[in-house]
Amino acid sequence: MAKMRTIKEAYIELKQADEHTAVTQTGLRRLVNEGKIPSVKVGNKTLVDMDNVYTFLEMGTASKAAQPEAGKIRPIRRYMDGTYMKRIVNN
């Protein structure tokens, strides 16, 4: 079962797990608002799954599938004319 928390509750749980964490409540809220950590709106509350928060903090993304494979070319920016700027990703 998902451990859904409000952003404030998620921050408190992170702080209890590591009292020296550099993650702030504002920083966590920004990651959620930018869509880097998936969230669900329930009424006026924004809820996050703590597994997604921990995965993001460990890997830099909330999904293992979102990590590009080394040596692959992926589009990173789409221009107005529909073309892409590409770059090689090397891990």
Side-chain angles (χ1 to χ4, degrees), residues 25-43:
Q25 185 174 340
T26 304
L28 185 59
R29 185 174 308 280
R30 184 174 298 124
L31 291 170
V32 170
N33 289 340
E34 291 174 355
K36 294 181 179 179
I37 297 176
S39 64
V40 176
K41 250 337 219 179
V42 179

Side-chain angles (χ1 to χ4, degrees), residues 68-74 87-91:
E69 295 180 33
K72 298 285 182 171
I73 297 176
R74 65 180 178 95
R87 114 182 137 144
I88 296 177
V89 178
N90 293 314
N91 290 340

Side-chain angles (χ1 to χ4, degrees), residues 10-54:
Y11 169 72
I12 291 169
E13 189 170 320
L14 284 173
K15 198 69 171 167
Q16 288 173 346
D18 178 12
E19 57 187 54
H20 299 292
T21 185
V23 177
T24 63
Q25 185 174 340
T26 304
L28 185 59
R29 185 174 308 280
R30 184 174 298 124
L31 291 170
V32 170
N33 289 340
E34 291 174 355
K36 294 181 179 179
I37 297 176
S39 64
V40 176
K41 250 337 219 179
V42 179
N44 290 331
K45 295 183 179 191
T46 302
L47 303 177
V48 294
D49 184 349
M50 288 306 296
D51 291 336
N52 287 337
V53 174
Y54 289 126

